[in-house]
Every structure is written in C-alpha cells, then in structure tokens.
Amino acid sequence: MTMVLDTFRVTGQEPDARLESRSGAGVRAVRASDGHAAYLKVTPATLGAPAIAAARRELRFYAEVAPIAPVRAPRLLDYLDAESGVAVLLEAAGETRQASAWTTGMWADLGRDLAGLHSMAIPTGADWQHPDALQEALIDPNLDEINSFWAPTLPHLGELLARRVELMEQTRAVPPAFVHGDCHTANLVHSAGAIVFCDWQAAGIGRPASDLAFLSVRATPTGTTVPPALVDAYLDTRACDRRTLQRALLAEELAVFVFLWPAFAAFNTPEGIARVRRRTRELAQRWFSADAGVTPRHPQGNHIDGP
C-alpha cells in the first residue's frame, strides 16, 4: 500500500479510513495530487492467482467497458499491473446508503440500471468467463456444513439436496448476460440522484438472476425486504418473461442461502441468522408450492415480483 501511494502520488487519509473488500484487496480513501478525493484499491500477489485474476478483470472493466457501459461506474484515474500485484485509483463517485435507507424509487432506478446492463452486448476482445461459486456448490456441495447449519431448522432439506440439479437448471432459466457479479447495496453509491456501481471484480458472463437475487441475500440479515419495484422496473425496461424471471429469482436466492450462506453465518448476528432462517424457509415453501401448481406468494400476500 505504501509503495502504491508513492507511485500514484496520493496521500492516504486517516489510518482507519479503510473500506470493506471481501476479495481481500485493501481499499483506502486517499487524496489525489490535485486535491480531489479518490479511492485506492490494492490487490497484492500474495493473495494468490484467483485474487489477481479478479483484480485484472476489474481493471479491464474500468479501462475497456466502463466508458461504453449503460450504467455509471467510478472513473479510473490511474492503475498499476505488476508482478507484485494490481492497483487501481478510482474517483470518489458518491456515498453508500444502508439498504434500509433505500426508497422505493431508488430500488426502481436500480432495476432499470440492471436491465440496461443485462441488455448490453457482451464485450469483445477478452474472456469474460469467471468462477461461479454457486454453480460449483450445487455440483459439489459441502454436505457436512450444509447439514450442520440447516438440518435443525429447514424442513425438506434432504429433498432440496436431492433436487439440486433441478434447482441449478432453474437459476439458468433466463439467458446469460453481462452481469456485475457482486451486486449489493454496499457496492452501490449514490451521486446527484444516480446510482454508481463499484467493485467489478466478479463482472462477466453470468445469470441475470444472480445480480437481482443477491441484493435480497445481502439485505435479509439486516431486516430489509427488497420491494417489488426492483423487478417491476427491470421488466418494464428489459423484455423478459415475468414468470420465468420470478422462477429464476426464487431458485437463485434459495440456492445461495442453502448452499453458500452457511459459511458466512459466523460473520452475522444472531438476529441476522434468525432472519435468514425464516427467509429461507419461506423461499423453500414457495419453491415446493410452485412445483405443486400453487402460485407463489410474497410473505405480505403479494405475488412474488422480487427476490
């Protein structure tokens, strides 16, 4: 970090001005030489080949795709791609807001933005395939971890495990598109009434449902319910069969909670864990009910129009 600060000729802000980065990259608020606020994201080679590949994917996005993408992203001010690691210097593009502070209008704006992103032509000149943790977990699940967390509280867990191929197929019901890959409110900042998408390390060809459903996955432990306005606006902007998308969203969110979330339970509060357990039971009930020909319902009684 110190070497990169010198290379870019930026000044680090107070030592505790570090931001969350689940990839392991260091993110720090800095002041550029012209006095403007910026963010420095550094991925050292010591984090391993997958982390460097993700950092280079993000750099490629900012350099090649962001200028033509139909969504806003921070402007790339400078970068370093060396044997020792990858660093990007990005403009400070806005402020984050807790999911609970998002208005219905903000969720609708996000739905329209994601519809635009998913309608974009796949960028050429690079391989935009990337690791897919959910699909890998559905193919080769950690049964000990899943059973330990879910068996006491999730009815029909055995049937869900037995039908995971069907679940996987339903997550793919909507054709692949260019996706953000890590879409949640902590990676979205607000500026002048617009949403700016940050952290593009997981960007690439993927399932549209993954971007939409992950918003709910990350919001659920906080007690926030993503409103139907998100998907309503998405479908108003992008031609997509509503029932097909709803089914894909249901399968995606259920699969993430069952097959991936147990590993992250320790990072959540008891209240957050309880909310995830309730949400997952509801999702499983809807999934099985839909198979029986019953129209899935939202907990408040509305048709499922969101993840």
Side-chain angles (χ1 to χ4, degrees):
M1 179 67 77
T2 301
M3 181 270 288
V4 174
L5 287 170
D6 292 340
T7 300
F8 290 158
R9 288 180 288 188
V10 296
T11 304
Q13 300 301 294
E14 60 273 16
D16 60 349
R18 294 178 181 273
L19 306 179
E20 175 191 17
S21 177
R22 291 186 178 234
S23 66
V27 183
R28 186 168 182 180
V30 298
R31 188 70 60 180
S33 57
D34 62 3
H36 286 91
Y39 286 101
L40 180 60
K41 185 173 186 177
V42 179
T43 305
T46 52
L47 290 178
I52 290 297
R56 287 182 173 141
R57 184 183 307 112
E58 181 175 42
L59 172 57
R60 190 164 68 245
F61 172 84
Y62 283 125
E64 301 173 8
V65 182
I68 60 172
V71 297
R72 290 185 60 183
R75 184 164 56 95
L76 179 65
L77 304 176
D78 207 342
Y79 71 91
L80 176 67
D81 186 355
E83 185 176 337
S84 57
V86 178
V88 291
L89 182 66
L90 303 166
E91 68 171 339
E95 299 293 332
T96 59
R97 297 189 184 185
Q98 296 292 331
S100 58
W102 279 55
T103 66
T104 299
M106 291 175 186
W107 288 111
D109 288 342
L110 177 56
R112 285 185 283 270
D113 283 349
L114 285 172
L117 178 66
H118 297 166
S119 299
M120 181 182 75
I122 303 297
T124 59
D127 180 7
W128 286 102
Q129 299 292 338
H130 59 102
D132 189 327
L134 178 59
Q135 300 296 291
E136 292 172 1
L138 285 165
I139 293 170
D140 185 20
N142 186 333
L143 295 177
D144 289 340
E145 186 174 66
I146 292 169
N147 278 296
S148 176
F149 183 81
W150 284 117
T153 60
L154 183 59
H156 309 301
L157 174 62
E159 189 173 356
L160 275 170
L161 294 173
R163 297 174 60 183
R164 64 181 186 272
V165 172
E166 180 184 347
L167 199 61
M168 179 167 59
E169 290 174 349
Q170 289 171 354
T171 66
R172 301 171 176 171
V174 179
F178 191 85
V179 301
H180 178 274
D182 192 16
C183 190
H184 56 86
T185 55
N187 281 339
L188 303 167
V189 300
H190 300 260
S191 175
I195 297 172
V196 184
F197 290 67
C198 305
D199 196 350
W200 290 85
Q201 289 203 351
I205 302 170
R207 300 177 306 284
S210 66
D211 276 347
L212 292 161
F214 197 55
L215 289 158
S216 183
V217 168
R218 287 294 298 266
T220 293
T222 70
T224 301
T225 299
V226 177
L230 174 77
V231 173
D232 286 343
Y234 183 92
L235 290 168
D236 286 344
T237 309
R238 185 174 189 236
C240 183
D241 179 73
R242 177 177 290 271
R243 185 173 293 275
T244 300
L245 178 61
Q246 290 173 346
R247 190 64 170 156
L249 288 174
L250 177 59
E252 182 84 24
E253 187 177 358
L254 176 59
V256 171
F257 277 135
V258 173
F259 291 87
L260 291 180
W261 206 84
F264 299 95
F267 300 98
N268 286 264
T269 65
E271 294 81 6
I273 293 172
R275 290 170 181 142
V276 166
R277 291 190 187 278
R278 286 195 298 270
R279 174 70 174 174
T280 304
R281 285 194 297 270
E282 292 167 359
L283 293 169
Q285 182 179 14
R286 295 182 216 168
W287 193 68
F288 286 115
S289 295
D291 281 351
V294 178
T295 302
R297 306 292 289 185
H298 188 274
Q300 280 73 39
N302 300 320
H303 289 285
I304 298 176
D305 287 322

